[in-house]
Amino acid sequence: MVKVVVGTQWGDEGKGKVIDYLAKDCDIVARYQGGANAGHTVITNNKKYIFHLIPSGILYPDKICILGNGVVVDPAALLSEISNLKKEKIKLNKRFFISENLHLTLPYHKLLDQIEDKKRGRGKLGTTGRGIGTTYTDNYARLGIRVVDFLNEKVFREKLRVSLKLKNYLLKEYYEEKVYSLEKISREYRVYRKQIKGYVIDTSLYLNQAIRKGKNILAEGAQGTFLDIDFGTYPYVTASNPIAGGVCTGLGIGPTKIDKVIGVAKAYTTRVGKGPFPTEFKDEFGEKIRRLGNEFGATTGRPRRCGWFDAVLVKQAAIVNGLSSLAVTKLDVLNSLDKIKIAVGYRYQRRKINRFPNSFEVFSHCQPIYEEVPGWRRELSGIKNYRDLPKKTKNYLKRIEELTEVKISLISTGPQRQDTILL
Ligand code: GDP
Ligand code: IMO
Ligand code: MG
């Protein structure tokens, strides 16, 4: 059984929490895209972990965790995460593997990501500055360095030499920045090589053999549908395919092997970084929700922009991901509200639109059309069964199901594992 967990909004939907919850019935958790731009929070026994690269199933000592070829890895970030886990006595030997085909982030990728975003001026994307877009770009430019090449020092140095020729020219002549030394990077990366090589395998082969043996695999998506390079609010997106389709190319498993796709949706909407966001709160109410939901980025600490639930977006996410069901998170954040709004369509100029427009120009001028439902004004913590939820909470959830045309299979009422209701 292969299950995919994918974000249906702009990331930070609570995928980490949902993956940690679902991982208990799985054998393998595998990340298929993104890199250290992700921040997935898992809280167990009042201890909080934020995973950037390591899959969110790592806290179970018997689960295998994998970084597929579609992930981009900054070795320094990965090793720092590994070292933090070791301090917590979490063992990774023989249960954490990284793909031979995965692309490495080099120091110039991070610098160029930051410089290029700044140079956009008012059109700045607000990237995480982790070198994500620049690493993926080098893959497509056939200039990237894969782990399998990195393991052979001679091959690595030759690839790095060619890459540095181009990068240093750009940095020096165009951006008037510092240049990188082949020797310095080689020295730094030699240390990383020694620490990383024990984890490297052919992850596609491993996963396909596991599927044949009947193992349960959870594919962990990072970011979300509207940050997808092809289906998101382009150009305000990330540089990979967080949508479920990314699982095949990012793990090397065929589409016929995927059984279920679970879309994670926050009970409202957030976005970090720039880009259009029709239901965004423009007043102090946004501050209130940010405070109630503790909406600050898990990777950069930036305040997240907050807004009402946008059913047009989640319905579109259901289509492009082929969602089997929805996991609705952070329902408890709405506990104190008298009224809750849901965007059911948009108004653009004089027209009504009821689907996600691909045109950035149109989407950035869309005004949401809202439907209002009464709030439940009750605590939800401790509720273990759907039937014990307040009637008004059930009505809100039912409306989400109707508007998005997807059934809800999981509800999250708090950040801890136990604050979860299965339907
Ligand atoms: P991810 O990137 O999708 O994994 O989400 P993040 O971890 O970046 O952000 C989600 C935040 O919401 C984290 O701080 C979680 O601990 C928290 N969280 C997850 N589910 C719930 C929930 O149901 N209620 C509340 N109050 N917090 C939640
Ligand atoms: P998780 O997995 C929310 C956003 C950045 C920026 C845009 C491009 O925790 O949900 P990038 O560095 O990827 O080139 O930045 O994407 N972004 C995220 N927003 N959650 C994430 O990951 C994100 N990863 C990237 O803020 O707007
Ligand atoms: Mg996050």
Side-chain angles (χ1 to χ4, degrees), residues 142-182:
R142 275 63 53 87
L143 269 178
I145 302 185
R146 291 169 157 194
V147 169
V148 68
D149 297 329
F150 167 61
L151 292 187
N152 181 324
E153 180 150 10
K154 214 171 129 215
V155 176
F156 173 64
R157 277 182 68 94
E158 182 49 25
K159 289 196 174 280
L160 186 59
R161 193 185 60 77
V162 175
S163 191
L164 279 179
K165 232 163 99 178
L166 286 153
K167 304 296 174 191
N168 279 342
Y169 180 81
L170 187 66
L171 283 167
K172 184 163 170 252
E173 306 298 332
Y174 186 67
Y175 290 123
E176 297 174 341
E177 284 281 343
K178 65 173 187 188
V179 294
Y180 286 95
S181 129
L182 173 70

Side-chain angles (χ1 to χ4, degrees), residues 10-12 15 37-40 126-128 222-223 227 237-238 272 302:
W10 280 291
D12 302 329
K15 298 176 294 294
N37 48 350
H40 296 178
T127 73
T128 58
Q223 290 80 53
L227 289 173
V237 293
T238 191
V272 55
R302 289 179 290 180

Side-chain angles (χ1 to χ4, degrees), residues 191-240:
V191 180
Y192 300 153
R193 180 178 300 113
K194 281 200 188 112
Q195 292 171 270
I196 280 175
K197 72 171 186 238
Y199 300 117
V200 180
I201 62 164
D202 181 335
T203 51
S204 164
L205 188 69
Y206 184 92
L207 288 165
N208 281 290
Q209 281 169 348
I211 292 171
R212 212 168 316 130
K213 286 183 202 152
K215 301 277 185 202
N216 288 324
I217 297 168
L218 199 56
E220 172 170 357
Q223 290 80 53
T225 303
F226 295 93
L227 289 173
D228 186 279
I229 186 86
D230 294 302
F231 290 93
T233 46
Y234 193 87
Y236 294 91
V237 293
T238 191
S240 67

